[in-house]
Amino acid sequence: MTDTTKSNKFEFVIYLSNEIPKQENNALWLIEKIIAKNQTTILYGDEDTFKTPIATDLGFQVQNQFSDIGITQQTGVLYLCLENSLGMSKRMDAFHRHYANGTPIAVNFARFNILSDDNCFELFKFCKQKDVGFVIFDTLSQAIHDGDESSPSVARKVRNVFNTLNDNDITVLVVHHTGKNHSAGARGSAILTMDFGGRLNVKRKGIESEGRLIVEKSKSDMHGKSIPFYVTYDYDAPIINWHKKGDSELATDILKHIDETDKPFLELLEELYPSYDSIKKDSFRKKLDREIEKLVGQEILSVSNNKKQKFVSRTKSEK
């Protein structure tokens, strides 16, 4: 790997084609099939599509080796909060309540300028000193400062910074916006928007607190697929809840109504049935029972009985 403290003298690294070292599959991914390890992934979307909460959640996934959307490799995380800093402490408090047993991520509030060699040197130094292997830029436009993100020369310099981070075992996630023409994708030079190793697009479902994380670019079978999510609020701070693989619509509705406190099964039934009243209530009760059993088997929910009454709650390990 490139060492930024050494000279820039070029040296070939040669293997015969039949002697190239094999990499274990888990060495290729920071989050399996979502974020490639030691590469740069762009996360973009329209305004108010929960980009920052998603980026924050991905940071917590990596810092704590949670596996809500894929097998994760643990490393230190640095979040460069370059916009929307107002209220960040409240948002982070909400994430710590959501991931009650999670360790915190490092958050920077200083105005980082990616076009400044001095700023970039301090970033490399911090990452190496603090064992940071995952850096989140939120957002790209704020990191560029007065630079023009549509300029090829600016784009190449930014790309070179990201490549240097990647060459030094640091994975990068870049939060970015769409342009005026939403259908054209992420705004700016194609060098920035198309050349990265991974590309994720956030789509919100109308004005609802639901959406999809679309894997637009990935060297895996997740390419072109999406991961649904819904948002809950903790004192007005948005929290991302990922749909587990194989979730049904009913499973999603169940999880919206259940927390770590015991909820009577019959109370849950009454809350959910109005949305499913096209089937007989007794049939829906059986369907609800089967769905809860699946979630118990996935260790997402737990069931207890007290005085012949069944109670349902989230497992603490699910957080």
Side-chain angles (χ1 to χ4, degrees), residues 24-300:
E24 295 295 329
N25 188 53
N26 63 2
L28 302 175
W29 300 102
L30 200 61
I31 300 179
E32 186 180 27
K33 301 182 180 181
I34 309 297
I35 296 181
K37 188 176 181 182
N38 299 336
Q39 293 190 39
T40 296
T41 296
I42 186 169
L43 169 70
Y44 78 97
D46 293 343
E47 189 177 2
D48 295 328
T49 52
F50 308 112
K51 296 184 296 295
T52 290
I54 286 174
T56 306
D57 187 89
L58 295 177
F60 272 88
Q61 297 285 324
V62 171
Q63 179 74 46
N64 295 279
Q65 206 170 7
F66 296 143
S67 298
D68 285 6
I69 59 173
I71 298 171
T72 304
Q73 287 200 53
Q74 194 281 330
T75 188
V77 175
L78 172 61
Y79 194 104
L80 299 179
C81 179
L82 306 178
E83 70 176 39
N84 297 322
S85 59
L86 189 65
M88 176 58 82
S89 63
K90 182 170 71 173
R91 294 196 293 272
M92 287 299 176
D93 286 345
F95 269 95
H96 282 291
R97 285 189 290 270
H98 183 62
Y99 295 119
N101 299 317
T103 58
I105 64 175
V107 183
N108 167 73
F109 291 97
R111 289 203 67 203
F112 176 81
N113 184 355
I114 200 170
L115 302 179
S116 163
D117 292 341
D118 289 341
N119 283 199
C120 291
F121 176 77
E122 291 300 322
L123 174 61
F124 296 138
K125 186 170 70 172
F126 179 88
C127 290
K128 288 303 180 183
Q129 289 176 344
K130 302 298 183 180
D131 293 324
V132 169
F134 187 37
V135 177
I136 301 170
F137 290 79
D138 188 2
T139 61
L140 177 60
S141 60
Q142 291 297 320
I144 293 175
H145 284 227
D146 296 330
D148 181 2
E149 60 195 20
S150 298
S151 164
S153 61
V154 170
R156 278 191 287 270
K157 184 163 186 177
V158 171
R159 183 184 60 185
N160 290 343
V161 173
F162 292 151
N163 287 344
T164 303
L165 286 165
N166 298 158
D167 288 345
N168 283 274
D169 302 322
I170 299 168
T171 304
V172 174
L173 179 68
V174 185
V175 181
H176 196 33
H177 302 286
T178 54
K180 293 180 180 179
N181 180 5
H182 296 187
S183 62
R187 73 188 187 200
S189 169
I191 295 172
L192 288 176
T193 60
M194 304 301 290
D195 280 6
F196 294 146
R199 190 167 63 251
L200 306 172
N201 183 13
V202 186
K203 293 284 189 183
R204 184 173 181 171
K205 185 179 178 181
I207 61 172
E208 298 180 23
S209 296
E210 297 182 44
R212 294 177 296 139
L213 181 65
I214 304 169
V215 184
E216 288 190 343
K217 185 178 181 181
S218 172
K219 294 179 180 177
S220 74
D221 57 7
M222 275 299 292
H223 180 88
K225 297 180 181 178
S226 64
I227 305 167
F229 65 88
Y230 64 94
V231 176
T232 53
Y233 288 87
D234 181 333
Y235 295 99
D236 297 326
I239 295 294
I240 300 298
N241 298 270
W242 300 104
H243 293 228
K244 300 292 190 294
K245 188 175 182 180
D247 271 358
S248 67
E249 182 180 352
L250 178 55
T252 300
D253 287 340
I254 291 170
L255 295 177
K256 287 180 181 178
H257 287 76
I258 298 292
D259 56 25
E260 290 186 4
T261 59
D262 286 338
K263 168 164 281 194
F265 173 81
L266 293 179
E267 182 180 325
L268 179 64
L269 174 67
E270 294 301 323
E271 289 176 357
L272 293 178
Y273 181 64
S275 299
Y276 297 87
D277 58 4
S278 59
I279 59 177
K280 292 183 179 179
K281 193 168 188 178
D282 189 54
S283 298
F284 176 72
R285 176 174 179 156
K286 293 176 182 177
K287 181 181 178 71
L288 179 62
D289 231 345
R290 288 194 300 271
E291 204 63 49
I292 289 173
E293 286 179 7
K294 291 179 186 177
L295 293 169
V296 169
Q298 296 172 21
E299 299 182 348
I300 297 172

